[in-house]
Amino acid sequence: MKKTFKNSKGITLVALVITIIILLILAGISISALTNTGIFQKAKDAKQKSADAELDQNTKLDSYEEEISNYLPPDVKQAIKKGKPLSTDKNTEIADEKGNKIVIPAGFKIIGDATTVDKGIVIEDATSGATAGSQFVWVPVGKITKADGTETEIKLNRYTFASDGTPTEKNEEVIDTYFQELATSDKGNTVAKNITNFKNSVTANGGYYIGRYEARTTTARNDKGNALTQITEKGTDQVYNYVTQQQAAEQAQGMYTSNNFTSDLMNSYAWDTAITFIQKCTDKTNYANQTSLNESFSSTGTTNDNPCNIFDMASNVGEWTTETSSSSDFPCVDRGGSCDYRGLYTSYRLNDVTSSSDLGIGFRPLLYL
């Protein structure tokens, strides 16, 4: 029995060894076969082709969606795309709930609750650049239908305003006699990039944009000797003051370098028309003569001076424009109310020297298509 047991064990071990050797041989053959036939590479290629097909399908779906949207009413397109950039490479024409025209610049999205232009449609820079988050308000020009169904007309022009707020278009006793919007100036101030292009654009597009706030910057400014910093239109940033008119123009005009729209310093057409827009679309029918609602400088502006979503045209700091005074010694013109000078108001024109730069003077950019 003892001998028989040993023989049986020996036979079993030999069989096991032979079996393992055979399996190793077969495994080697299988791996060689898989490698030589390129099955791994084929699997990798199949995975890449699948990913490419999925990308191609998504691209086609986006293309189809864009094509379909071309046949949708503008207000439906707005509802679908509200909350994200309508386009990153071109301006997009849409309409509000009453059919009023709006043109959204490339790279911007609509934000806020306003659904009609009389309430102040707000757009926000949705890019990843230094100006991301900057906000602007659409100022409609021409005949519009307000939220309540009534109609009004806003004319692009330069105005003077009576004590009750009544506007006078291009009052010759003031405008073009003492204050002018020039194509060029030899007095040391900076004029608009191209005032004719601005007016033509507004006529063609039915409006323009102005900064929702006084110009801002991420770094607080405490002296006129501070280095110039990146301009923004973000309400949480610091008011951009302590700048000369030339510095303000440099910052506003260089804020964007897009082929789709132009940034510039506020001109007198844009300022005066914005006042008439506010007066015709809110209960502030004498906003032209509104003085500052804050008595001391606020580094982030005020919160109670925001008709049509436009902040502080009457409050906080005076704002440089491209308008030119007839006075050779005081050629620069700033507009609006100021907490530092209680006698100033929204439509006021204050001429100043080219070197003027202090706490109570800022500026505001505009955009046109």
Side-chain angles (χ1 to χ4, degrees):
M1 287 292 293
K2 185 175 181 180
K3 183 177 180 180
T4 304
F5 177 77
K6 285 183 177 180
N7 288 341
S8 298
K9 184 177 180 181
I11 294 170
T12 302
L13 289 174
V14 170
L16 179 62
V17 170
I18 293 172
T19 301
I20 291 172
I21 292 172
I22 292 172
L23 289 174
L24 289 173
I25 293 171
L26 291 174
I29 294 172
S30 298
I31 292 172
S32 176
L34 290 172
T35 303
N36 292 337
T37 57
I39 192 168
F40 291 127
Q41 183 60 45
K42 290 179 180 178
K44 185 177 179 181
D45 292 342
K47 180 181 179 181
Q48 184 60 50
K49 288 180 180 179
S50 176
D52 292 343
E54 182 179 359
L55 178 62
D56 182 63
Q57 182 182 37
N58 289 338
T59 301
K60 288 180 178 179
L61 287 174
D62 289 342
S63 176
Y64 295 154
E65 180 181 354
E66 183 66 26
E67 183 66 22
I68 291 171
S69 73
N70 289 333
Y71 297 94
L72 295 175
D75 54 338
V76 176
K77 290 169 63 178
Q78 178 187 2
I80 291 174
K81 295 188 174 183
K82 186 175 181 180
K84 65 178 183 178
L86 274 65
S87 174
T88 58
D89 58 4
K90 63 181 180 180
N91 301 331
T92 307
E93 180 181 329
I94 63 173
D96 69 5
E97 289 184 352
K98 295 297 183 181
N100 301 301
K101 181 179 177 180
I102 313 167
V103 182
I104 311 300
F108 282 78
K109 64 181 180 180
I110 299 173
I111 65 166
D113 298 327
T115 56
T116 53
V117 295
D118 57 303
K119 301 299 183 181
I121 299 292
V122 180
I123 60 168
E124 181 176 287
D125 186 337
T127 67
S128 59
T131 55
S134 294
Q135 298 177 358
F136 294 81
V137 177
W138 177 250
V139 178
V141 172
K143 293 182 179 179
I144 65 169
T145 302
K146 298 192 289 185
D148 62 6
T150 61
E151 294 185 352
T152 189
E153 184 175 10
I154 300 158
K155 295 182 180 179
L156 179 71
N157 217 325
R158 304 173 66 208
Y159 295 89
T160 57
F161 298 85
S163 59
D164 63 353
T166 302
T168 299
E169 296 181 35
K170 210 169 183 179
N171 183 338
E172 298 297 341
E173 293 182 4
V174 177
I175 299 174
D176 288 342
T177 299
Y178 298 105
F179 299 98
Q180 305 166 330
E181 197 68 58
L182 303 174
T184 61
S185 174
D186 58 1
K187 297 181 179 181
N189 64 311
T190 301
V191 298
K193 281 185 176 179
N194 191 317
I195 197 64
T196 299
N197 284 354
F198 169 77
K199 291 190 288 185
N200 290 341
S201 167
V202 174
T203 300
N205 293 289
Y208 60 97
Y209 289 95
I210 68 172
R212 190 179 188 184
Y213 311 98
E214 299 158 331
R216 302 297 173 88
T217 180
T218 56
T219 306
R221 299 182 61 78
N222 302 303
D223 187 81
K224 61 183 179 182
N226 293 157
L228 298 180
T229 50
Q230 173 65 46
I231 180 179
T232 76
E233 269 294 322
K234 296 172 63 176
T236 53
D237 285 346
Q238 306 292 303
V239 170
Y240 207 135
N241 54 356
Y242 287 108
V243 285
T244 65
Q245 191 268 349
Q246 289 178 317
Q247 291 172 330
E250 177 185 347
Q251 292 302 302
Q253 293 178 348
M255 186 175 186
Y256 290 100
T257 55
S258 171
N259 293 325
N260 294 298
F261 55 88
T262 300
S263 63
D264 205 347
L265 183 63
M266 286 285 285
N267 60 61
S268 55
Y269 286 92
W271 188 273
D272 292 341
T273 304
I275 293 175
T276 62
F277 164 54
I278 289 170
Q279 292 191 160
K280 289 192 173 188
C281 294
T282 70
D283 60 355
K284 298 184 181 298
T285 56
N286 195 10
Y287 190 67
N289 293 295
Q290 177 66 58
T291 56
S292 182
L293 297 180
N294 56 324
E295 297 182 359
S296 60
F297 173 70
S298 172
S299 60
T300 54
T302 61
T303 58
N304 56 346
D305 183 9
N306 60 340
C308 296
N309 282 320
I310 302 169
F311 284 78
D312 292 331
M313 287 184 70
S315 302
N316 213 34
V317 298
E319 302 180 26
W320 289 123
T321 68
T322 60
E323 199 168 31
T324 302
S325 166
S326 61
S327 171
S328 297
D329 295 327
F330 300 89
C332 304
V333 179
D334 67 76
R335 305 293 300 274
S338 171
C339 61
D340 279 353
Y341 306 99
R342 302 302 298 171
L344 304 184
Y345 43 89
T346 312
S347 63
Y348 195 87
R349 287 173 161 86
L350 179 66
N351 55 336
D352 210 337
V353 297
T354 56
S355 60
S356 184
S357 171
D358 59 40
L359 174 74
I361 302 180
F363 64 102
R364 188 182 306 253
L366 65 83
L367 300 180
Y368 59 94
L369 294 309

